[in-house]
Amino acid sequence: MSQSNYAENRAAKVALVTGASRGVGKGIAIALGEAGYTVYVTGRSQQEGDAPLPGTVFATAEAIDQAGQESGGRGIAVVCDHADDGQVEALFGQIQRDSGRLDVLVNNAIALPDELVQPGPFFQKSLKMLDILNVGMRSSYVSSYYGAKIMSEQGSGLIVNTSSFGGRCYMHGPAYGAGKAAVDKFAADMAVDLKPFNVSCISLWLGLVATERTQRVFEAEPDKYADLAAAAESPQFGGRVIAALAEQADLLERSGQVWVAAELAQELGVTDVGGIQPPSHRPMLGGPAQANPAIIE
């Protein structure tokens, strides 16, 4: 990297999206790149075939570069296993050294066992379902821990936990639901600690997202899922919402809350790919439970 490029990189808005080899994380990262961010993306997949689904962390970085051609956005791939705290600490050290700041952290890394959507009660599935809590709930805490150190020193920043309506209704069983409810509560409680440093933290409920995994389900039974497919959010949609939210003057006032991406998009004038306005699933699945404002230290 030349001295001029190095200076430009340090001056750009910087984001980190964890778990971005594919799916929601990849889409969010591409949208942030389109908005002009330098986007660090993490994942374990280094080459095709490393995972059952297509996608690598390096392919995501290239897609960010393409999306950011006009805005100056660029992607930086970092191979990182978010089950390893040492690798996560090294990741944030790299961001601090190379870019000198971190404006947006999107906690999206999660381990989804194949059994997740199989029918049957939790006690008839393996204990691998608990991987959701290790890479998902726990890794979000660890990344926030290191990200908050950078953001608190610079006096600004936004932490976003990608979550879902599964934090409130029964969705895929107790492990998945507990993981989503946990990151929602992380946002509420971390916001209290971060407020004096002008750093915000929210949880973002996405709807049904047309990821590679979801597309396979749609393609297997197209007639059955036609209506759902038509209303699905693109993987980029959440990133567009996050980019718009990060620019809001009242960001700190929004901190600590759970937001429905589709509803926030309508408020902020954000549309999905193709100008589509995805619907909120609140009428069918319920809304977030906002935390009580009481603080006991």
Side-chain angles (χ1 to χ4, degrees):
M1 183 183 297
S2 69
Q3 286 294 329
S4 60
N5 288 339
Y6 179 74
E8 290 174 2
N9 187 39
R10 291 181 69 88
K13 295 178 291 184
V14 178
L16 165 62
V17 183
T18 69
S21 293
R22 62 190 62 82
V24 169
K26 179 178 181 179
I28 289 174
I30 290 172
L32 289 174
E34 189 176 34
Y37 281 79
T38 293
V39 189
Y40 290 81
V41 289
T42 64
R44 293 180 298 169
S45 298
Q46 302 182 52
Q47 57 186 7
E48 293 294 348
D50 285 350
L53 293 167
T56 71
V57 68
F58 299 108
T60 296
E62 291 177 3
I64 295 168
D65 288 344
Q66 293 176 0
Q69 286 181 355
E70 294 185 5
S71 63
R74 58 192 295 265
I76 301 175
V78 181
V79 177
C80 179
D81 182 352
H82 282 271
D84 185 331
D85 294 350
Q87 291 187 35
V88 177
E89 182 179 11
L91 161 69
F92 284 90
Q94 177 182 342
I95 294 172
Q96 181 70 75
R97 290 191 305 274
D98 293 351
S99 294
R101 64 180 302 105
L102 179 61
D103 299 286
V104 175
L105 164 62
V106 181
N107 288 314
N108 180 72
I110 191 169
L112 296 176
D114 292 337
E115 300 168 279
L116 180 69
V117 295
Q118 293 176 3
F122 75 95
F123 54 86
Q124 293 179 357
K125 300 179 181 181
S126 75
L127 288 175
K128 283 189 66 63
M129 291 297 294
L130 289 174
D131 289 351
I132 296 172
L133 304 181
N134 293 324
V135 181
M137 180 190 74
R138 189 181 185 283
S139 66
S140 293
Y141 189 100
V142 174
S143 290
S144 297
Y145 175 85
Y146 289 111
K149 290 179 181 294
I150 298 175
M151 292 178 174
S152 62
E153 290 181 1
Q154 70 194 24
S156 63
L158 170 64
I159 298 174
V160 178
N161 299 327
T162 58
S163 188
S164 81
F165 290 84
R168 189 74 190 278
C169 71
Y170 182 97
M171 186 178 290
H172 307 319
Y176 182 86
K180 294 306 181 184
V183 298
D184 291 348
K185 192 61 164 64
F186 284 171
D189 291 356
M190 289 180 182
V192 174
D193 291 342
L194 291 169
K195 185 175 181 179
F197 302 95
N198 194 40
V199 177
S200 302
C201 184
I202 67 134
S203 198
L204 188 67
W205 279 11
L206 303 170
L208 177 64
V209 183
T211 62
E212 296 89 349
R213 186 188 300 267
T214 305
Q215 291 285 15
R216 284 190 176 182
V217 175
F218 290 164
E219 291 167 3
E221 299 182 82
D223 294 335
K224 179 179 178 180
Y225 294 109
D227 291 340
L228 283 175
E233 299 168 3
S234 78
Q236 293 95 310
F237 179 62
R240 291 185 171 190
V241 173
I242 292 168
L245 178 64
E247 299 300 319
Q248 299 306 302
D250 63 345
L251 182 58
L252 198 60
E253 297 174 19
R254 298 174 181 268
S255 186
Q257 300 182 54
V258 178
W259 297 90
V260 177
E263 297 172 1
L264 200 55
Q266 290 185 347
E267 177 191 343
L268 302 180
V270 175
T271 58
D272 202 347
V273 175
I276 297 170
Q277 197 78 59
S280 169
H281 298 314
R282 183 191 293 263
M284 179 174 59
L285 302 178
Q290 303 297 353
N292 188 287
I295 298 175
I296 300 174
E297 297 180 332

